[in-house]
Structures are given as C-alpha cells and as structure tokens.
Amino acid sequence: MIIPESIEELATYIHSENKVVFFFTADWCGDCLFIQPALADIEAENPSFTFVQVDRDAYLEVAKSWDIYGIPSLVVLEKGQEIGRLVNRNRKTKMEINDFLATLL
C-alpha cells in the first residue's frame, strides 16, 4: 500500500489513469486497526487497483472535501473521477471490501 508523504504526492494518485483505492484511516481508530492485518491480502486479491493509504488526520482537508467523516472508509477514483465509495464509520471486513471492489471491475 502506498503511503503518500505530501499533499502533492497524494494529488498524483487522484489523477491517475488507473483505478485507485484511497483507504482513509487513522492510527487511533480501532476499526481501522481491525482491518489493517487483512489489507495486504485485499491488495493482493485485487491487482486491478492501486491502493493508497490516507491518514485522515494528516489530510483532514481532503477528507472534508470528499465527505469522509467516518473511518475506515474507501473512495475509488479512475482518471480523476469517483467510481465508488464505501464511506461510513462502521467496521469493515475483508469480504465486505472485496465484494465492494468486485462491483467496480
């Protein structure tokens, strides 16, 4: 999973030609920590996507502008356009995320 080190780096993924999954998280979020061990498997099982981890606190303005008020949440963009979102404050499972991504292929 890619972890951008600046807003400029994050922006390069927003305008990518590929399908990019932006995974909004925070280190204090219990539900984010719950899904963390499964992220490598989710990424491996979905090779059509590029995965970018977005620290909600470090990129709070991005989270606000994308209406991300609950985490963990996922927003998927392709060519700068949103094609899907799984945004809420509920705990997410590996199966739920994989099923969501399957709808975007």
Side-chain angles (χ1 to χ4, degrees):
M1 183 157 311
I2 298 164
I3 301 174
E5 295 187 19
S6 68
I7 191 75
E8 293 80 14
E9 182 182 357
L10 179 62
T12 65
Y13 298 106
I14 292 171
H15 299 291
S16 171
E17 293 291 311
N18 302 324
K19 292 178 182 173
V20 181
V21 178
F22 293 89
F23 176 70
F24 285 84
T25 186
D27 59 4
W28 50 263
C29 169
D31 291 336
C32 301
L33 296 173
F34 169 81
I35 195 61
Q36 193 75 29
L39 291 177
D41 289 342
I42 293 169
E43 192 170 2
E45 294 167 11
N46 294 280
S48 300
F49 298 91
T50 301
F51 289 80
V52 177
Q53 183 172 315
V54 182
D55 182 319
R56 200 245 13 199
D57 294 337
Y59 299 102
L60 191 55
E61 291 305 314
V62 174
K64 285 180 183 178
S65 69
W66 288 13
D67 293 323
I68 308 294
Y69 293 102
I71 53 174
S73 286
L74 296 92
V75 175
V76 183
L77 302 182
E78 182 177 28
K79 299 177 185 170
Q81 298 296 312
E82 184 176 316
I83 61 170
R85 64 175 33 227
L86 183 58
V87 175
N88 56 49
R89 63 178 170 204
N90 299 332
R91 177 173 283 187
K92 306 208 179 24
T93 65
K94 178 180 170 184
M95 181 185 297
E96 181 181 8
I97 293 171
N98 279 333
D99 289 349
F100 162 70
L101 294 174
T103 67
L104 303 175
L105 292 175

